[in-house]
Amino acid sequence: MSSILPQNHAIRSSQQALNKIGMIQRRSSINRAMSISRHVLLPARVYCISSSSSSSSNIATITTKPPPVSEPLTYDPLIPITKIKTSNTRSILNDPSLKSTWAHRAWMASGCTTVLIPLARSVAGALDSHMWAGPLIAGCIGYILADLASGIYHWGIDNYGSAKTPGFGAQIDAFQGHHKWPWTITRREFSNNLHSLARAVTFTVLPIGLFCKDPTALAFVGVCSGCIMFSQQFHSWAHGTKSKLPSIVLALQDAGILVSREQHAAHHRVPYNNNYCIVSGLWNAILDESKFFELLEMIFFFKFGVRPRSWSEPNSEWIEETEIQSIPASH
């Protein structure tokens, strides 16, 4: 009988401890439900040590080990882990450098108007002369050469210059930094992304559109300048997620009319020296297979002693950071 009493007491102690554990777990569930919008709590650790109030003689009859030190029941919550995806996304969407200003919108309106002027005058001239073949062919040539021009320009600012380069420093810094944070282009608002090219088109194309009278030349200038101005939007779509892109954009990418996501993705992989064209991507295979840019790099090196960035081993400036990695979590 003396040996049974401690066992019954131990059983009761264990039941009481289990009841306390159940109460703590229910309380923990309520706390987690109240704070689920801000934190993620891992399962809690509960330590329970039962003690015996029976006499030392009784304990000696059932065990040869000394009784454990009695400690109170404790609840040890783990450090909460803050969710960072929502806060990161919110901070990116609210980044003022990615927003369009009224100045950006004004330049965008100016650029679009500048492109429409030669196109409208070309159509009017073709209607008067009843000669459509010349303007249509010129427009196609303008579209093809715009892709080539975008590739050459992209290659130049990817490999040469820095943020301190006069006139082009901002674009060089943006394009070279684009390799590290390529996803930011999809967060830029429309006018923010295109206003620099729209400004350049306004200054260079507007005089031609106003004073040129040849419908064929106007068609070439209008289509070529329009494709160049919108090339950054085509570039942004090439970084977009398929599920988030408009159906018409996906169809144009699949048809090869706009540069595809798969083709441009190769530009952001080692060795970072190919697939520079960002209008249709038509010229990418031709330029890469012919080693066109490698030839230009050799000419620049032997003529001016300047090495392109693509000759260097990829470092942290080239390696892409994901959206979560690039922005520290705020606890």
Side-chain angles (χ1 to χ4, degrees), residues 218-282:
L218 289 169
F220 172 83
V221 170
V223 173
C224 186
S225 62
C227 289
I228 290 175
M229 185 176 71
F230 284 100
S231 63
Q232 270 295 81
Q233 186 59 47
F234 306 154
H235 185 190
S236 175
W237 286 333
H239 282 281
T241 304
K242 187 174 183 179
S243 60
K244 296 180 180 179
L245 291 176
S247 299
I248 184 63
V249 172
L250 294 174
L252 292 174
Q253 288 179 339
D254 293 340
I257 297 174
L258 298 181
V259 62
S260 68
R261 301 176 309 283
E262 295 79 7
Q263 189 181 81
H264 187 67
H267 175 70
H268 288 270
R269 292 194 292 264
V270 178
Y272 307 104
N273 62 357
N274 52 50
N275 291 279
Y276 288 104
C277 301
I278 56 175
V279 174
S280 65
L282 174 67

Side-chain angles (χ1 to χ4, degrees), residues 24-35:
I24 291 172
Q25 288 178 339
R26 287 192 295 273
R27 191 176 300 124
S28 174
S29 300
I30 295 173
N31 292 336
R32 284 199 300 270
M34 295 175 63
S35 62

Side-chain angles (χ1 to χ4, degrees), residues 261-309:
R261 301 176 309 283
E262 295 79 7
Q263 189 181 81
H264 187 67
H267 175 70
H268 288 270
R269 292 194 292 264
V270 178
Y272 307 104
N273 62 357
N274 52 50
N275 291 279
Y276 288 104
C277 301
I278 56 175
V279 174
S280 65
L282 174 67
W283 286 90
N284 280 327
I286 299 171
L287 297 174
D288 294 340
E289 292 173 4
S290 66
K291 308 295 183 183
F292 175 77
F293 290 120
E294 293 183 18
L295 176 60
L296 288 183
E297 289 165 359
M298 294 295 293
I299 294 174
F300 272 64
F301 178 70
F302 287 111
K303 183 69 174 179
F304 305 106
V306 180
R307 293 171 58 90
R309 293 175 79 234

